[in-house]
Amino acid sequence: MAIIKRLVTVALFFLTCALLTFVTVTAAAGDDSNAVPAPTEATRAEFPSAKSNESDAAGAEAEAGAEAEAEAVSSAGMNIGAAAKLNLLGLFRGVGVLADGSPNLSVDRAPTRAEAVAMVVRLIGGEAEALSGNWKSPFADVPEWAKPYVGYAYGNNLVFGVGGGEFSGYSVITASEYITLVLRSLGYASGTDFECNKAWVLSDEIGITGGRYNAETKHFSRGNAAEIAFNALGARMKGSENTLCALLIGEGLIMEETASALGAGVISTIPIPMSGLPQSPAPEPAVAPKAESGQAHDAALGASDMEREVFILVNKEREKAGLYALAWSEELAAVARAHSTDMAVRKYFNHINPEGEKPPDRMRGAGLAVWYSAENIARGHKTAEAVVAAWMASATHRSAVLSEHAVSIGVGFYEFYWTMNLIG
């Protein structure tokens, strides 16, 4: 009984700490930029006055959360899904949050081959090394954001492409292809230990797929990938008594008590639910429109020429930095236009309007779900090129433009007052 209480306490503590805490940093750039971080709610009184034109700060708000009772991970955590468990361990990522604040793990959607590689690299604890190293691969058909992951996987003989120097990163991955990645991560060699087109034969033998996949499997989802990945934590590395979970614990990448509370490191003999959370498919950054494409221009047809050009230029800056393109949001653009117009008409220059509303307040007031938000403002610049150049010349404004958390963008222009809003 004492052990169960201890596991429950540890699990509750981890769930609470794992939630992203509320952080607020706002961003702006004007002719006389003096970018400073905005204070948190605890020091809100230190916010610059809404009447001051000297505040020109860059920023982002991140908030996510949900109350978690101790029972949520009782019985070795079996009443939450594999994707949710991996997410709590830091080994599986969502694609934003749902309206109730819970992570959108998007378990119903089929993952691309590039996404799958990123999932597996993250699963085996290689993400930090992948992102910090100068990994290369011969493949050109890989999204910019995924190149470090694919490069790392290629350098460690986890992927070899589909032939002809191609990787087919944008294509949906099959069950056997994903299982192949996982088996290679456990030290097994394709062509020797198993056949790529029948990878489930070996994965069934070592217990991580339980006979759920075969040649007739048509649909393979992110949730299915999470099931396999979670079971793989309990699989022994080839030729070793150590499980993948034990190796991750030994390297300090996950906590032993947390893994135990969630039931990680033990192969389940019953199907694990894909998720205990309400989920809906969501777009992945990997499939966002390219900045230079005609689709990017078409996406912002409701915007003015100035606003549309900022949209294109921002995505070009992101592409140069190896980031995915942002999607245009007309709803977000309407919020940005309203703020630019308000600043021009009421003669102030600030993120906070005279009524005390901050950027996320305005976004939520327009009915937008906000997990992450950022706002850059500027005035006096005559062209889109000039305002984007000004933002990129300031470290704080540049960080908003190149945010890895943003998914959508909206730009508002009125009488040379500029507002760029981002949400994720």
Side-chain angles (χ1 to χ4, degrees), residues 187-208:
Y188 295 97
S190 54
T192 302
D193 298 314
F194 68 97
E195 297 300 323
C196 292
N197 62 344
K198 296 180 180 178
W200 59 80
V201 174
L202 176 58
S203 63
D204 284 348
E205 288 178 6
I206 64 176
I208 65 176

Side-chain angles (χ1 to χ4, degrees), residues 2-32:
I3 294 175
I4 293 176
K5 288 182 66 178
R6 181 165 172 263
L7 291 179
V8 166
T9 301
V10 170
L12 177 59
F13 174 78
F14 180 71
L15 281 168
T16 304
C17 293
L19 301 172
L20 293 174
T21 55
F22 181 82
V23 179
T24 301
V25 183
T26 48
D31 294 329
D32 301 306

Side-chain angles (χ1 to χ4, degrees), residues 223-310:
N224 297 138
E227 285 183 323
I228 295 170
F230 190 79
N231 265 345
L233 291 175
R236 289 185 176 87
M237 305 297 293
K238 181 185 177 183
S240 171
E241 291 301 311
N242 286 323
T243 64
L244 175 57
C245 187
L247 291 179
L248 294 175
I249 291 171
E251 293 173 6
L253 296 174
I254 60 176
M255 296 171 58
E256 182 174 7
E257 291 181 332
T258 302
S260 178
L262 292 170
V266 178
I267 296 177
S268 173
T269 57
I270 60 174
I272 305 172
M274 289 190 297
S275 176
L277 304 173
Q279 298 296 326
S280 61
E284 193 78 27
V287 296
K290 295 285 186 179
E292 76 278 9
S293 70
Q295 286 181 325
H297 285 276
D298 294 342
L301 283 178
S304 72
D305 290 341
M306 290 286 207
E307 293 165 352
R308 187 162 56 248
E309 190 60 26
V310 169

Side-chain angles (χ1 to χ4, degrees), residues 162 201 309 391 422:
V162 295
V201 174
E309 190 60 26
W391 286 333
L422 306 174

Side-chain angles (χ1 to χ4, degrees), residues 278-367:
Q279 298 296 326
S280 61
E284 193 78 27
V287 296
K290 295 285 186 179
E292 76 278 9
S293 70
Q295 286 181 325
H297 285 276
D298 294 342
L301 283 178
S304 72
D305 290 341
M306 290 286 207
E307 293 165 352
R308 187 162 56 248
E309 190 60 26
V310 169
F311 167 59
I312 299 301
L313 291 172
V314 164
N315 272 338
K316 285 185 176 179
E317 293 294 342
R318 293 177 63 84
E319 183 183 24
K320 286 191 289 186
L323 297 169
Y324 53 85
L326 300 173
W328 178 264
S329 168
E330 187 57 32
E331 294 83 359
L332 196 57
V335 175
R337 286 187 204 111
H339 189 56
S340 289
T341 302
D342 191 45
M343 289 192 293
V345 170
R346 295 204 277 177
K347 306 301 181 186
Y348 71 95
F349 181 61
N350 206 299
H351 297 286
I352 309 172
N353 67 18
E355 287 71 42
E357 289 182 327
K358 295 177 288 186
D361 298 327
R362 295 189 288 270
M363 295 173 195
R364 291 192 180 101

Side-chain angles (χ1 to χ4, degrees), residues 106-111 119 173 219-226 274:
S106 195
V107 295
D108 298 320
R109 180 170 60 73
M119 290 177 190
I173 197 165
H219 178 69
F220 184 76
S221 68
R222 285 167 54 93
N224 297 138
M274 289 190 297

